Amino acid sequence: MMYEVLGPLRVIDGEDSFTISARKIETVLAALVVRCDRVVASDRLITEIWADAPPRRATAGLHVYVSQVRKLLNRPGRTANPLLTRMSGYELNTEDDEIDFRLFLEAVERGRALMRERRDEEAVACLEGALNLWRGPVLGDLRGGPIIEGFVTWMTELRLECLEALADTYLRLGRHRELIGRLHLLVSENPLREAYYAQLMLALYRSDRQAEALSVYQSARSMLMEELGLEPCQALQDLQRAIFTADAGLDLRAAS
């Protein structure tokens, strides 16, 4: 089976796929998937489902939801159910299964390794492959307690880092013109992330759009001052000065 969490929660078994419409059952499965191959204590699952206001019979309710998840995962042809009961809670065994977020992590790590080796074309393919695993926001609109919220934050941040690494690789390959539209979108969606401003400025400068690159800096500075009362980071200030003086070190050949 394949568990997918880089988008609405979905389970794929061969040519069949299914989602869960019952929110509490979905929450239990999501928490077990993101903590796969580890025991998730019953009290942690209760918190995921009911936060700090569990009903009087929360433990009994949890048993019912776990039973429903177990039925869903009892697929034809499987010799054993992957949802195991442990002394303190439950564990989702994924020894024979795949999870999209693990494939994403492996692809990102491989892409970063290829970047370090200056194998940039291969790095682009790897990082783009990682991003193609995403179908939407992590777990769709599902929200829960610390397990799910922490996972959503972690994966969302890693996706932004992957996009940043991909943009760096495009810049090293001289594909700066292809990046401009994508970086404008990333800046608008993540207005406090200074790395995207820097990449956009450099992409514009290398596309002979110096004035626009300097305008991006002013937009970044205005946003940061308005939202945080802070000047741009030193790296962004240095880049602005280098663009203003047309520093030869910004040229693609100098950066190679």
Side-chain angles (χ1 to χ4, degrees):
M1 282 194 297
M2 164 74 88
Y3 301 95
E4 295 185 334
V5 295
L6 301 180
L9 178 62
R10 184 169 68 177
V11 181
I12 298 176
D13 182 25
E15 296 182 355
D16 299 328
S17 68
F18 61 89
T19 58
I20 301 172
S21 57
R23 185 52 58 100
K24 290 182 175 62
I25 298 174
E26 184 182 20
T27 299
V28 170
L29 178 56
L32 291 167
V33 170
V34 304
R35 289 289 181 90
C36 57
D37 302 311
R38 289 176 285 176
V39 177
V40 182
S42 296
D43 59 348
R44 299 291 303 278
L45 289 172
I46 287 171
T47 298
E48 291 296 311
I49 298 168
W50 290 289
D52 57 355
R56 185 170 56 87
R57 294 180 55 81
T59 300
L62 174 61
H63 289 165
V64 171
Y65 300 141
V66 168
S67 177
Q68 292 299 312
V69 171
R70 188 172 276 120
K71 288 180 181 179
L72 288 169
L73 300 182
N74 188 28
R75 312 301 294 176
R78 293 190 73 109
T79 58
N81 197 289
L83 179 49
L84 308 175
T85 300
R86 301 301 192 192
M87 184 173 295
S88 61
Y90 302 92
E91 176 184 350
L92 183 67
N93 186 319
T94 62
E95 182 179 8
D96 299 321
D97 302 315
E98 292 185 321
I99 305 180
D100 59 355
F101 85 85
R102 291 199 301 210
L103 298 176
F104 173 73
L105 294 175
E106 291 167 4
V108 170
E109 184 56 36
R110 177 62 177 158
R112 287 170 172 166
L114 290 166
M115 288 179 67
R116 291 192 292 270
E117 296 169 10
R118 309 295 290 192
R119 296 161 61 183
D120 292 331
E121 292 286 1
E122 294 173 78
V124 164
C126 205
L127 295 171
E128 288 182 339
L131 292 167
N132 286 338
L133 292 168
W134 287 67
R135 298 173 295 110
V138 183
L139 292 171
D141 62 352
L142 181 66
R143 291 297 177 268
I147 293 175
I148 291 176
E149 288 300 324
F151 179 78
V152 170
T153 300
W154 177 40
M155 282 293 110
T156 302
E157 177 62 25
L158 283 178
R159 180 177 180 273
L160 294 175
E161 291 178 7
C162 182
L163 286 163
E164 185 179 329
L166 181 61
D168 280 337
T169 312
Y170 266 59
L171 287 168
R172 289 201 325 207
L173 288 169
R175 297 170 65 177
H176 36 270
R177 295 181 189 276
E178 299 175 49
L179 268 180
I180 292 173
R182 180 183 296 182
L183 287 170
H184 270 298
L185 180 60
L186 287 172
V187 162
S188 67
E189 292 176 343
N190 306 276
L192 301 181
R193 202 172 184 95
E194 293 172 87
Y196 292 149
Y197 287 107
Q199 290 172 329
L200 177 57
M201 289 166 63
L202 186 56
L204 287 167
Y205 178 76
R206 288 182 178 172
S207 301
D208 301 319
R209 296 161 68 174
Q210 181 184 27
E212 290 176 68
L214 293 171
S215 177
V216 168
Y217 175 82
Q218 293 303 324
S219 296
R221 184 175 184 275
S222 296
M223 175 62 67
L224 292 167
M225 288 297 295
E226 179 179 345
E227 294 295 324
L228 303 175
L230 296 174
E231 291 285 348
C233 67
Q234 191 61 50
L236 205 59
Q237 294 182 44
D238 292 343
L239 178 59
Q240 186 262 354
R241 284 191 289 270
I243 289 174
F244 187 78
T245 59
D247 190 322
L250 298 180
D251 295 339
L252 181 60
R253 289 183 180 179
S256 300

